[in-house]
């Protein structure tokens, strides 16, 4: 599996911080994503936040939409 600086994604910290800022549990975020047609279980989100799971582009865009994350902020993690 390809990794960048031993991480499966670069967006995990930004997602985690934004989720906490919005006072959402992993389950609530999962439910909000389901409402827009993206299925990510709480454990999937946990692994994404811990940078242990690859994030598909449509998953990332959905998470950013739900949490109001500007994708430029994720690029800053490179």
């Amino acid at each position: 599996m390809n990794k960048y600086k031993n991480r499966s994604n670069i967006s995990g910290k930004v997602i985690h911080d934004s989720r906490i800022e919005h006072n959402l549990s992993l389950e609530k975020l999962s439910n909000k994503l389901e409402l827009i047609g993206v299925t990510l279980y709480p454990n999937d989100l946990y692994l994404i936040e811990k940078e242990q799971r690859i994030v598909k582009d449509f998953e990332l865009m959905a998470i950013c939409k739900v949490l109001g994350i500007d994708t430029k902020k994720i690029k800053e993690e490179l």
Side-chain angles (χ1 to χ4, degrees):
M1 175 183 283
N2 292 332
K3 292 193 175 193
Y4 175 76
K5 295 185 179 179
N6 206 32
R7 304 173 348 186
S8 293
N9 71 66
I10 61 166
S11 56
K13 181 177 178 354
V14 174
I15 292 168
H16 173 77
D17 292 349
S18 183
R19 179 179 63 80
I20 297 303
E21 183 179 308
H22 285 84
N23 199 31
L24 291 174
S25 66
L26 291 168
E27 186 173 336
K28 286 182 182 179
L29 177 55
S30 174
N31 292 339
K32 287 180 176 281
L33 290 166
E34 187 74 32
L35 290 173
I36 61 171
V38 175
T39 302
L40 281 170
Y41 298 103
N43 190 59
D44 295 321
L45 292 166
Y46 173 81
L47 292 174
I48 289 168
E49 288 185 359
K50 295 295 181 188
E51 300 171 343
Q52 297 174 1
R53 180 188 180 281
I54 291 173
V55 187
K56 296 173 184 167
D57 54 0
F58 70 90
E59 294 171 335
L60 182 59
M61 293 300 100
I63 293 168
C64 287
K65 180 178 181 175
V66 168
L67 294 176
I69 298 170
D70 184 343
T71 55
K72 291 177 186 174
K73 188 169 186 176
I74 292 170
K75 286 196 266 183
E76 294 171 2
E77 295 297 311
L78 280 174

